[in-house]
Amino acid sequence: MDIKVFKAKSWLNDTYTGKSWYTTIDEDGITGQGTCRALCKALQYEIGLSDIDGIIGPGTLSVCPIVGPTTANENLVKIVQCGFYCKGYECGDISGTYDATTQTAAKKFRSDAGFPNNNGNMPPIFIMALL
């Protein structure tokens, strides 16, 4: 069991249980399809989509913001931080603050994807890859 993934799943359940579109996920510390789908649904909800299906396609990408240090919606930052946990990147706590540790995780994630020169932000296409 990965304690960071456990924390991510707990945060998702604590934040979104009771929403009509959300299905509670097992807090077992294991990343899987259900975790990724829950993160995608949370993202769609936070960016204001009405069709919340857990699939990041062209419609979601077209309205998804860049997530970075100036992101005001703490839940968007938390979703990215949970995504980093689920992919095995250290990003500090699920704080909702896009701090230096989160920026370092973003830089490492993007570098690992073959994009080494970046500012530590997460554009929509990288958010899609992360989640």
Side-chain angles (χ1 to χ4, degrees), residues 1 11 13 19 23 27 30 36 42 51-52 65 72 76 78 80 84 101 110-111 118 122 129:
M1 178 181 86
W11 176 79
N13 285 339
K19 306 282 187 204
T23 303
E27 295 178 19
I30 300 169
C36 296
D51 183 20
I52 299 173
L76 282 177
K78 288 178 181 181
V80 168
F84 285 137
T101 308
R110 289 180 62 175
S111 176
N118 68 76
M122 289 293 286

Side-chain angles (χ1 to χ4, degrees), residues 68-79:
T70 61
T71 301
N73 183 329
E74 290 183 2
N75 281 349
L76 282 177
V77 175
K78 288 178 181 181
I79 291 163

Side-chain angles (χ1 to χ4, degrees), residues 75-93:
N75 281 349
L76 282 177
V77 175
K78 288 178 181 181
I79 291 163
V80 168
Q81 289 170 329
C82 288
F84 285 137
Y85 278 2
C86 291
K87 294 288 193 218
Y89 290 85
E90 177 54 51
C91 65
D93 293 325

Side-chain angles (χ1 to χ4, degrees), residues 89-113:
Y89 290 85
E90 177 54 51
C91 65
D93 293 325
I94 303 171
S95 64
T97 301
Y98 205 96
D99 58 14
T101 308
T102 304
Q103 284 183 296
T104 299
K107 288 177 182 179
K108 175 81 172 118
F109 178 77
R110 289 180 62 175
S111 176
D112 289 350

